[in-house]
């Protein structure tokens, strides 16, 4: 599974940034959810960086909704998701209408430089 997706955690401007590379799908979506949930436990705002994701399926979309809801419950604000107009990520979000539900940003810089 490490070959399909890697997760790296950093800090930018007081935010925890969860960087994801690879494929977010049925085999890896659980790891993504766990990583974001753990990051939310730090008490700081979280940005999920999907700019290096090359595949996102329905399990990944489900996970994005779940971790966004978790962020809203824990922090009172949605999870900030950087997508960089990455077609393999943006297209499934648009097709499902989730762009209305998710807090999408064009970059990690945009997500960390604005207030909720």
């Amino acid at each position: 599974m490490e070959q399909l997706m890697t997760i790296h955690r950093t800090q930018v401007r007081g935010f925890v940034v969860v960087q994801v590379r690879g494929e977010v799908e049925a085999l890896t979506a659980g790891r993504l959810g766990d990583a974001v949930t753990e990051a939310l436990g730090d008490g700081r705002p979280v940005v999920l960086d999907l700019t290096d994701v090359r595949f996102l399926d329905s399990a990944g979309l489900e996970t994005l909704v779940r971790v966004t809801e978790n962020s809203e419950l824990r922090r009172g604000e949605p999870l900030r998701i950087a997508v960089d107009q990455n077609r393999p990520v943006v297209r499934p979000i648009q097709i499902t209408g989730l762009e209305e539900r998710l807090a999408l940003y064009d970059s990690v810089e945009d997500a960390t430089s604005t207030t909720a």
Side-chain angles (χ1 to χ4, degrees):
M1 284 193 298
E2 188 69 23
Q3 295 172 343
L4 294 175
M5 182 183 75
T6 60
I7 299 173
H8 182 71
R9 194 166 144 177
T10 62
Q11 294 180 32
V12 176
R13 297 184 187 121
F15 287 77
V16 177
V17 178
V18 178
Q19 273 183 317
V20 182
R21 288 189 171 94
E23 301 178 12
V24 181
E25 44 90 57
L27 292 175
T28 60
R31 283 183 41 229
L32 173 63
D34 291 345
V36 173
T37 299
E38 182 179 320
L40 287 168
D42 281 359
R44 290 175 285 159
V46 176
V47 173
L48 177 58
D49 180 3
L50 300 180
T51 58
D52 288 326
V53 169
R54 61 182 181 268
F55 181 77
L56 177 69
D57 75 358
S58 61
L61 291 169
E62 237 178 84
T63 300
L64 293 180
V65 171
R66 186 171 36 83
V67 295
T68 291
E69 290 171 350
N70 191 359
S71 177
E72 290 167 343
L73 287 172
R74 287 181 177 215
R75 301 215 24 91
E77 65 179 55
L79 178 69
R80 297 171 184 218
I81 303 171
V83 293
D84 188 26
Q85 298 307 310
N86 181 347
R87 190 162 174 81
V89 173
V90 171
R91 189 68 181 138
I93 290 171
Q94 290 172 333
I95 289 170
T96 57
L98 287 174
E99 75 271 15
E100 301 297 323
R101 176 74 178 94
L102 303 174
L104 302 177
Y105 294 82
D106 290 331
S107 67
V108 170
E109 184 176 331
D110 286 348
T112 59
S113 65
T114 60
T115 58

